[in-house]
Amino acid sequence: NWLLQCSQCSDQAYYSDETQKRNSKPLDLSSMYNQVASLPLHQYDHANDEFVNKFFSLTHLGALAGDVKSVMPLAVGLVPDRRWIAANGTSQSTKNVNLVR
């Protein structure tokens, strides 16, 4: 899983322990639902084999980070240098990738 290969990505995406948070406050859920409902969903194939998994289809469904950023800017972070191992075992790097957190 690509997320588990990136400790910074994994830390931001998986862990939600309240003891590790500051300035927590409830949000207006009605407003949040409207923002999420306004996001277009896409069907796509990844341009690089970074996300290829032999157990799943190459075609994915979901929101694009640019669309999420336009509606909820705080939900998207920039990974300046994303390093990964290709299916052929070579080390790869993708620069300036948006990550939905």
Side-chain angles (χ1 to χ4, degrees):
N1 182 314
W2 71 272
L3 194 57
L4 297 178
Q5 295 171 10
C6 172
S7 63
Q8 291 174 338
C9 303
S10 179
D11 288 347
Q12 292 181 21
Y14 281 153
Y15 302 108
S16 190
D17 185 333
E18 64 276 359
T19 65
Q20 302 302 309
K21 310 282 189 241
R22 289 186 295 222
N23 303 323
S24 176
K25 62 183 177 182
L27 295 174
D28 176 4
L29 289 181
S30 177
S31 172
M32 294 301 296
Y33 290 140
N34 289 335
Q35 289 175 349
V36 170
S38 74
L39 291 173
L41 296 178
H42 298 268
Q43 178 176 318
Y44 57 88
D45 297 329
H46 285 284
N48 298 306
D49 65 355
E50 173 183 9
F51 300 99
V52 172
N53 182 317
K54 66 182 180 181
F55 300 109
F56 298 103
S57 168
L58 295 177
T59 301
H60 295 262
L61 304 172
L64 302 179
D67 293 336
V68 175
K69 188 174 184 175
S70 70
V71 175
M72 295 179 281
L74 294 176
V76 178
L78 184 69
V79 178
D81 187 13
R82 170 78 182 104
R83 296 178 184 272
W84 50 282
I85 304 298
N88 65 5
T90 59
S91 178
Q92 303 290 319
S93 175
T94 307
K95 305 289 185 194
N96 300 316
V97 176
N98 283 319
L99 170 73
V100 177
R101 312 191 279 163

